[in-house]
Amino acid sequence: MSTSVVLVPGAPALVPELSGAAAAESAGAVAETVEMVRQGAHSATGVEVRGPDRAERTVGDVRSSLVRWGVDVPVGRQSAPAAGAEAEVPDAALLGWWFLDRAGVWVPRSFAGIGASGASSRPEDGSLIVVVADGPASLTPAAPVPADERGVALNAQLADWLEAGGPLPDPGLTEADEVGWWSRPVWLALAALVGDRPALQSISWAPFGVGYHSAWWDLETASSSDGART
């Protein structure tokens, strides 16, 4: 069994019910991301979403909602139990659930939060790992962080890394904070998962001054091709 890894953005602004017309600019990229999730899950027996969470919480297969962002959009498998409290489900889990729902992936799912260390466990064979992370938030004057050329350069390097593989570009914790690359630990965990393999498919865009990236790896396929290169 192969294990797939799919990177998705952790942005509520991409959900049409939450941002209205603003989501239209990203509709094509979101559709491509959903298709990557669908392809990555074609033979998966389970899904684990991984994303930023300071408390490194784990969440089982539950139903919840995006109501914390203003609209009650249900997420999660209908056959799963409802979360005991909506606040118990981290933001990254909710966005991962949303992408899985859009892709029609209904195998059991769970969430594992990644803290400051970037540490995460090895995936089980035959699973789909959905990694929720964003690029720098300093790409334009309207971005959450004042525009910073270092963030622009880093975001381009991350897009290149997805396409070409190799070592993950990492300016370190201090600069990452300064340019709004708050999901840096998750990218470090992603790099530990996929190594220096390029993604089979990737897309990068930045409609709100924040770097959004999606990509898909099949670790079994990539491992075979890596062996041929080395």
Side-chain angles (χ1 to χ4, degrees), residues 57-162:
R57 289 172 289 179
T58 58
V59 177
D61 192 3
V62 296
R63 289 180 287 114
S64 191
S65 166
L66 306 185
V67 70
R68 69 182 56 163
W69 291 296
V71 181
D72 187 9
V73 179
V75 293
R77 300 194 310 143
Q78 289 191 351
S79 60
E86 189 269 338
E88 293 177 358
V89 185
D91 291 355
L94 295 176
L95 271 299
W97 266 219
W98 182 77
F99 276 108
L100 290 165
D101 293 351
R102 296 275 291 222
V105 177
W106 305 118
V107 296
R109 58 183 70 166
S110 62
F111 172 80
I114 296 175
S117 69
S120 63
S121 59
R122 293 185 60 83
E124 295 183 7
D125 289 344
S127 63
L128 167 64
I129 306 298
V130 174
V131 177
V132 181
D134 295 327
S138 54
L139 306 186
T140 67
V145 174
D148 193 315
E149 289 301 318
R150 297 173 300 170
V152 174
L154 173 60
N155 196 61
Q157 292 165 1
L158 292 172
D160 290 343
W161 176 73
L162 296 173

